[in-house]
Amino acid sequence: MTEFLPTMALPETSPAAPVSAPDNDQNKPLLSDRTLVGIRSRAAGYDRANAFFTEDLAELVAAGYLRALVPTRFGGLGRTLQQTVHAQTRLAAHAPATALAVNMHLIWTGVAASLHAQGDHSLDFLLEEAGRGEIFAFGVSEPGNDLVLFGSQTDARPQQGGGYRFTGTKVFTSLSPAWTRLGTLGLDSSDLADPAIVWAFLERADAGIRSKDDWNTLGMRASQSQSTVLDGALARPDRVVRRLPVGPNGDPLVAGIFATFEILLSAVYTGIGQRALELAVAGANLRTSLKNDGRSHAQDPVARWRVGDLVIAMDGIYPQIDALARTVDERSFTVGPAWFAQLSGLKYRATQNAKFVVDTAVQIAGGSAYSASSELGRLYRDVLAGLFHPSDADSAHATAAASVLGPLDLSTS
């Protein structure tokens, strides 16, 4: 889960025309309260058994949730990123690992919808297939590859007719037990003078793809983000969507992935913070103090100050996520260093904020939160995953600095 974007200035590009407003019922919630209550009731069991969220996924598919960002013309719900961000925050407040895994599918559909709205139809097949129920996974991260979107240790070997065969290992492939399509990248070094990063999509049913049963982590266990081994897996010519120069670039696909990933990820961790605040309030009301004549901690000035601090922290992050999601929907941004700094800064603030809220909620709730069976204990483990997703702390700060100071001078002269 290393950084997507090395700290380098990117060429400035102008925004495209605004996305047309979807024509479906925009007031209908993407997920009902009943569905969310059921999802929450299963979260602890999935975590305890280190099991995939099979029942959750079935309900989300039945509700059309995986088609939220797919335009109505392709059989989707035509929701905006802003609306989907709100729904992902709610889902994460009920089951963080479920929300995190679903994020990866939503990233691809969000990118495809954005490209379609800009007149780029290279991912229209993705929208058509997602509208028919295919599930897309994100096969990008590799062990030791800190270039991520701009480099790869996976070999992409060109085939006669325009296809590619991919050989390498991808890690943190969320939705491993369920995905049917894998978006991935590899390095085409067949021409040493012109190496290229190739983006393509693979089908689960094809030969040369294997998931390793190696997901046994501290938190986010139900996501089952197993490693994926590619052994000559074939991407057909019509599923090869980009051949880009190695290194940073402002291609709309890359820019779209970065924006959608950072914003949806921020929503998930904000959902964790939202739930932690709810549990902190409940804990303050339940705990009593002999020092305070047996009254609840809700009447203790220190506990009240801590709860107030959490309210302030959460109130500050919601409008930031909302504003950037709306900016993407309206295409009212310019791709460049400042835009990437805003996105990586949002992810850093959202994950740090969620960790602070969970940490403080544990203090408010007291020793009961230290139980392995407590919901706050599970949130404490889940929220730690936010430290590792791109953009991490070092990268976010470097990207922010580069946006105002320019790229780091690595010359030795």
Side-chain angles (χ1 to χ4, degrees):
M1 297 184 193
T2 47
E3 174 54 279
F4 278 167
L5 192 73
T7 305
M8 295 182 66
L10 294 177
E12 301 281 345
T13 60
S14 299
V19 177
S20 299
D23 58 4
N24 65 323
D25 180 5
Q26 297 297 293
N27 295 319
K28 181 180 179 182
L30 282 167
L31 294 174
S32 69
D33 291 343
R34 181 177 180 179
T35 296
L36 289 170
V37 168
I39 285 173
R40 175 174 287 161
S41 73
R42 292 186 288 266
Y46 291 143
D47 176 79
R48 186 168 52 251
N50 190 28
F52 185 62
F53 58 99
T54 303
E55 295 90 346
D56 288 2
L57 184 60
E59 288 198 19
L60 293 171
V61 168
Y65 192 71
L66 272 65
R67 295 182 286 112
L69 287 165
V70 176
T72 55
R73 73 189 69 180
F74 294 102
L77 303 184
R79 298 303 178 94
T80 64
L81 180 60
Q82 186 181 25
Q83 291 171 315
T84 307
V85 157
H86 295 169
Q88 276 294 87
T89 301
R90 291 183 71 213
L91 179 57
H94 289 76
T98 293
L100 181 66
V102 169
N103 240 26
M104 303 309 158
H105 172 89
L106 294 175
I107 289 166
W108 279 127
T109 57
V111 171
S114 177
L115 292 178
H116 178 82
Q118 297 175 61
D120 181 338
H121 301 290
S122 58
L123 290 185
D124 279 5
F125 72 88
L126 189 158
L127 296 174
E128 292 171 355
E129 294 184 357
R132 295 197 299 265
E134 302 295 345
I135 298 176
F136 287 79
F138 210 70
V140 173
S141 295
E142 299 167 343
N145 176 19
D146 57 359
L147 293 174
V148 189
L149 298 185
F150 302 119
S152 179
Q153 299 177 114
T154 296
D155 178 57
R157 185 155 302 182
Q159 304 296 300
Q160 187 174 6
Y164 277 86
R165 288 194 179 275
F166 289 80
T167 301
T169 299
K170 304 295 181 177
V171 293
F172 306 120
T173 314
S174 298
L175 295 167
S176 283
W179 64 262
T180 61
R181 303 287 187 270
L182 182 72
T184 194
L185 81 168
L187 176 65
D188 176 5
S189 56
S190 57
D191 182 352
L192 295 179
D194 184 29
I197 297 300
V198 178
W199 286 88
F201 287 82
L202 306 171
E203 296 189 8
R204 183 71 170 254
D206 292 345
I209 302 173
R210 175 172 61 89
S211 291
K212 297 174 67 176
D213 186 12
D214 60 356
W215 189 249
N216 186 19
T217 52
L218 189 65
M220 294 296 187
R221 289 160 65 82
S223 71
Q224 287 300 300
S225 304
Q226 300 165 5
S227 299
T228 304
V229 179
L230 305 177
D231 185 12
L234 178 64
R236 304 194 309 268
D238 61 339
R239 294 299 183 263
V240 177
V241 297
R242 288 293 192 279
R243 190 179 186 279
L244 301 173
V246 175
N249 64 81
D251 185 87
L253 174 69
V254 173
I257 290 172
F258 193 83
T260 311
F261 183 98
E262 299 289 67
I263 293 170
L264 282 171
L265 191 74
S266 297
V268 166
Y269 285 91
T270 295
I272 295 177
Q274 182 182 93
R275 179 57 175 168
L277 173 55
E278 294 172 357
L279 294 173
V281 171
N285 281 303
L286 286 172
R287 289 182 71 194
T288 57
S289 171
L290 291 178
K291 292 188 299 183
N292 199 21
D293 297 325
R295 291 190 296 175
S296 76
H297 278 247
Q299 301 306 314
D300 177 78
V302 174
R304 293 178 70 86
W305 191 93
R306 285 175 172 168
V307 171
D309 212 19
L310 301 191
V311 173
I312 292 169
M314 292 304 300
D315 281 350
I317 198 66
Y318 293 125
Q320 296 178 45
I321 300 174
D322 202 60
L324 282 183
R326 185 173 62 253
T327 297
V328 170
D329 286 329
E330 296 174 349
R331 317 224 65 78
S332 56
F333 60 88
T334 299
V335 176
W339 176 237
F340 286 108
Q342 289 181 57
L343 293 167
S344 60
L346 173 69
K347 182 270 170 184
Y348 172 73
R349 287 191 300 276
T351 52
Q352 289 294 313
N353 192 71
K355 186 175 184 300
F356 163 73
V357 173
V358 174
D359 285 347
T360 307
V362 167
Q363 295 178 60
I364 295 168
S368 63
Y370 196 59
S371 170
S373 62
S374 77
E375 185 175 358
L376 263 177
R378 174 162 48 83
L379 296 184
Y380 190 86
R381 292 184 286 105
D382 284 346
V383 81
L384 291 179
L387 301 176
F388 305 105
H389 299 291
S391 301
D392 64 18
D394 292 344
S395 177
H397 284 82
T399 301
S403 71
V404 292
L405 297 175
L408 185 66
D409 184 359
L410 298 177
S411 64
T412 57
S413 58

